[in-house]
Amino acid sequence: MNFTTDPTLVNLPLENLFRIFPNPASSVLTLEWKGGERSQLEIIGTQGNVVLSKTIDDLLTRLEIGHLPPGIYILRIQAGTLRGHKTFIKQ
């Protein structure tokens, strides 16, 4: 068998495959996902509780966060066995 891997993705940390903006955000957070596969997204609050969970597979995903109280949150993505996270501020 011969397997080919996209050389641009080899050893690339998952955090480099997505970005979130604007940061800080007040009502909508946009996720740009370059991972190319269906993945699981979670937003985690300061108490460690999951406040939003969603499956993503689009290049751009709008996340409605207006209902969340102001604070610091972690956005975590799991793609297969890989996990990455970024922090954002909800105003």
Side-chain angles (χ1 to χ4, degrees):
M1 282 188 169
N2 186 11
F3 293 99
T4 3
T5 304
D6 182 347
T8 61
L9 297 178
V10 173
N11 295 326
L12 188 62
L14 192 60
E15 281 84 1
N16 291 347
L17 295 178
F18 72 97
R19 71 183 187 110
I20 52 176
F21 58 91
N23 191 8
S26 56
S27 60
V28 174
L29 186 67
T30 301
L31 166 74
E32 180 181 13
W33 171 237
K34 299 175 187 173
E37 66 180 69
R38 181 170 286 197
S39 303
Q40 187 65 33
L41 168 145
E42 293 179 331
I43 293 179
I44 301 162
T46 55
Q47 304 294 320
N49 54 324
V50 176
V51 296
L52 181 93
S53 181
K54 183 174 185 156
T55 300
I56 57 165
D57 56 4
D58 293 329
L59 177 62
L60 290 177
T61 302
R62 288 175 44 100
L63 302 167
E64 300 291 333
I65 60 167
H67 65 284
L68 298 176
I72 298 172
Y73 292 85
I74 296 171
L75 185 143
R76 180 170 60 196
I77 292 184
Q78 182 164 344
T81 59
L82 301 176
R83 271 193 180 174
H85 69 277
K86 293 195 180 195
T87 303
F88 71 93
I89 297 170
K90 162 56 169 82
Q91 294 180 323

